[in-house]
């Protein structure tokens, strides 16, 4: 399985699969201000799995692949080991080696044994993920990242869209269940939002939603995720967090929303929100049960007078 590469590659070409033409890394002189002056870079693009569409730029040196937070390529999948594989990245050469992972690493369908030399276009299978090795210039990388944003982000708030955040919930819940780790969710609804639209117009409603998204992003911790799941309803996923950690987070967000009015073009508008929180319990067999308890808690918060947090 191990491929042998020549010790030195031609300085201005990138080797692809046999039978394909050489890929020049520099095809013309670079003019001043040319956006492609930044050199091309090795990267992995996810073609299958929960990270579908994501681009992982590879820095020169050793890059850890796995579930561990310190991994340079983090893949959250129950079939991925914490320290699953390691990439060895040089300017003209990339190798992958399996780190005695539970489910192994495959290159183009074959098990990786020892260090395996990779060519541009090779596919690495790790758990439920398939990663393709590519050599991207800045414009190509921006193109891939723009496509990912269009498919996964809510265009108004910049948060994850409904499909993306619910997919993340399923994945994170599965990891929590498999490894007996805590996870909590927060469901948030803006109070009297229909009245904002009816009184001030949908443009004002858009201002409010964007302002909420900005304040939510400022409240999130590094590992937290957030998305818009309805018109004025939002979901936050808090990995490695039980109710004792979820409630302070929800209270901080509630206070942040109520503390500062949203500045509309014509006036300032005070906004509040109601929140329901829940953590995974032993009886939860799927993410829907966890989400349903948080949703029920949200409606209790609204029934009790709004602008408060209730636990599910």
């Amino acid at each position: 399985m191990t491929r042998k590469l020549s010790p030195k590659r031609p300085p201005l070409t990138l080797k692809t699969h046999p039978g394909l033409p050489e890929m020049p890394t520099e095809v013309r002189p670079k003019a001043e201000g040319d956006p492609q002056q930044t050199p091309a870079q090795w990267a992995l693009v996810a073609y299958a799995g929960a990270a579908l569409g994501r681009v992982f730029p590879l820095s020169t040196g050793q890059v850890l692949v796995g579930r561990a937070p310190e991994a340079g390529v983090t893949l959250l999948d129950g079939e991925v080991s914490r320290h699953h594989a390691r990439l060895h990245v040089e300017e003209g050469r990339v190798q992958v080696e399996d780190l005695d992972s539970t489910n192994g690493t495959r290159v183009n369908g074959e098990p990786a044994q020892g260090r395996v030399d990779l060519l541009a276009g090779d596919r690495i299978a790790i758990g439920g993920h398939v990663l393709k090795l590519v050599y991207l210039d800045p414009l190509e990388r921006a193109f891939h990242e723009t496509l990912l944003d269009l498919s996964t982000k809510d265009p108004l708030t910049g948060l994850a869209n409904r499909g993306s955040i619910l997919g993340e919930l399923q994945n994170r819940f599965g990891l929590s269940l498999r490894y007996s780790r805590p996870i909590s969710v927060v469901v948030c609804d803006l109070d009297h939002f229909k009245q904002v639209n009816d009184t001030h117009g949908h443009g004002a409603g858009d201002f409010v939603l964007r302002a909420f998204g900005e304040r939510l992003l400022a409240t999130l911790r590094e590992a937290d995720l957030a998305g818009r799941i309805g018109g004025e309803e939002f979901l936050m996923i808090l990995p490695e967090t039980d109710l004792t950690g979820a409630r302070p987070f929800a209270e901080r967000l509630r206070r942040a929303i109520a503390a500062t009015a949203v500045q509309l073009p014509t006036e300032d508008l005070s906004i509040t929100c109601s929140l329901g929180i829940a953590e995974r319990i032993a009886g939860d067999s799927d993410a829907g049960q966890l989400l349903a308890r948080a949703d029920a808690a949200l409606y209790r918060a609204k029934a009790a007078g709004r602008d408060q947090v209730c636990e599910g």
Side-chain angles (χ1 to χ4, degrees):
M1 178 62 190
T2 302
R3 298 194 187 102
K4 298 296 185 181
L5 294 182
S6 56
K8 293 184 179 179
R9 289 174 173 261
L12 295 180
T13 59
L14 174 67
K15 191 70 174 176
T16 62
H17 283 289
L20 295 180
E22 300 286 342
M23 296 172 59
T25 61
E26 184 175 29
V27 297
R28 59 179 170 79
K30 294 173 181 175
E32 185 176 353
D34 190 331
Q36 295 192 38
Q37 284 192 31
T38 303
Q41 181 181 21
W42 289 109
L44 293 175
V45 178
Y47 275 64
L52 179 66
R54 185 172 172 186
V55 177
F56 298 94
L58 302 178
S59 301
T60 301
Q62 295 187 0
V63 181
L64 177 65
V65 183
R67 285 189 296 105
E70 66 271 19
V73 177
T74 303
L75 302 175
L76 298 176
D77 183 327
E79 297 182 358
V80 176
S81 299
R82 285 180 58 81
H83 294 182
H84 195 106
R86 180 177 291 115
L87 296 164
H88 302 268
V89 184
E90 303 173 17
E91 182 176 347
R93 186 181 194 182
V94 179
Q95 297 176 307
V96 64
E97 65 171 325
D98 185 74
L99 299 179
D100 294 324
S101 64
T102 302
N103 294 303
T105 301
R106 303 178 76 86
V107 177
N108 299 328
E110 297 293 332
Q113 298 177 354
R115 289 195 187 188
V116 178
D117 286 299
L118 301 175
L119 302 175
D122 280 347
R123 287 168 169 80
I124 307 168
I126 294 178
H129 303 266
V130 177
L131 307 170
K132 182 178 179 180
L133 180 69
V134 294
Y135 202 63
L136 296 179
D137 67 32
L139 289 179
E140 291 171 319
R141 177 178 171 184
F143 171 74
H144 280 279
E145 291 175 343
T146 298
L147 286 182
L148 181 62
D149 283 351
L150 289 173
S151 64
T152 61
K153 287 190 177 181
D154 171 53
L156 184 61
T157 63
L159 302 171
N161 61 24
R162 178 182 175 86
S164 178
I165 193 66
L166 291 180
E168 286 284 0
L169 176 60
Q170 289 282 6
N171 191 42
R172 304 297 176 117
F173 181 91
L175 290 172
S176 169
L177 187 63
R178 179 166 183 166
Y179 296 102
S180 300
R181 301 301 302 168
I183 187 173
S184 294
V185 296
V186 181
V187 180
C188 175
D189 189 89
L190 298 183
D191 296 329
H192 304 296
F193 185 74
K194 183 178 184 300
Q195 183 177 332
V196 173
N197 282 332
D198 292 346
T199 303
H200 303 278
H202 288 276
D206 289 348
F207 264 90
V208 170
L209 291 171
R210 280 194 291 267
F212 175 84
E214 292 172 359
R215 296 179 195 179
L216 172 55
L217 287 172
T219 306
L220 292 176
R221 304 166 304 178
E222 184 175 356
D224 300 335
L225 301 98
R228 183 182 178 194
I229 57 175
E232 68 274 18
E233 191 169 2
F234 299 83
L235 170 64
M236 288 126 269
I237 305 171
L238 313 182
E240 300 292 331
T241 305
D242 57 17
L243 283 180
T244 60
R247 176 170 277 279
F249 167 84
E251 289 288 359
R252 283 197 305 274
L253 177 59
R254 184 191 64 79
R255 290 193 298 268
I257 298 304
T260 306
V262 177
Q263 295 181 344
L264 302 180
T266 56
E267 62 180 296
D268 291 349
L269 190 61
S270 296
I271 296 294
T272 62
C273 64
S274 301
L275 304 101
I277 60 176
E279 70 171 309
R280 184 183 66 80
I281 59 176
D284 289 338
S285 59
D286 61 64
Q289 292 173 293
L290 171 61
L291 186 57
R293 288 205 316 281
D295 201 47
L298 166 64
Y299 280 94
R300 288 200 299 274
K302 296 181 79 70
R306 296 182 170 84
D307 189 23
Q308 57 187 280
V309 178
C310 283
E311 297 180 5

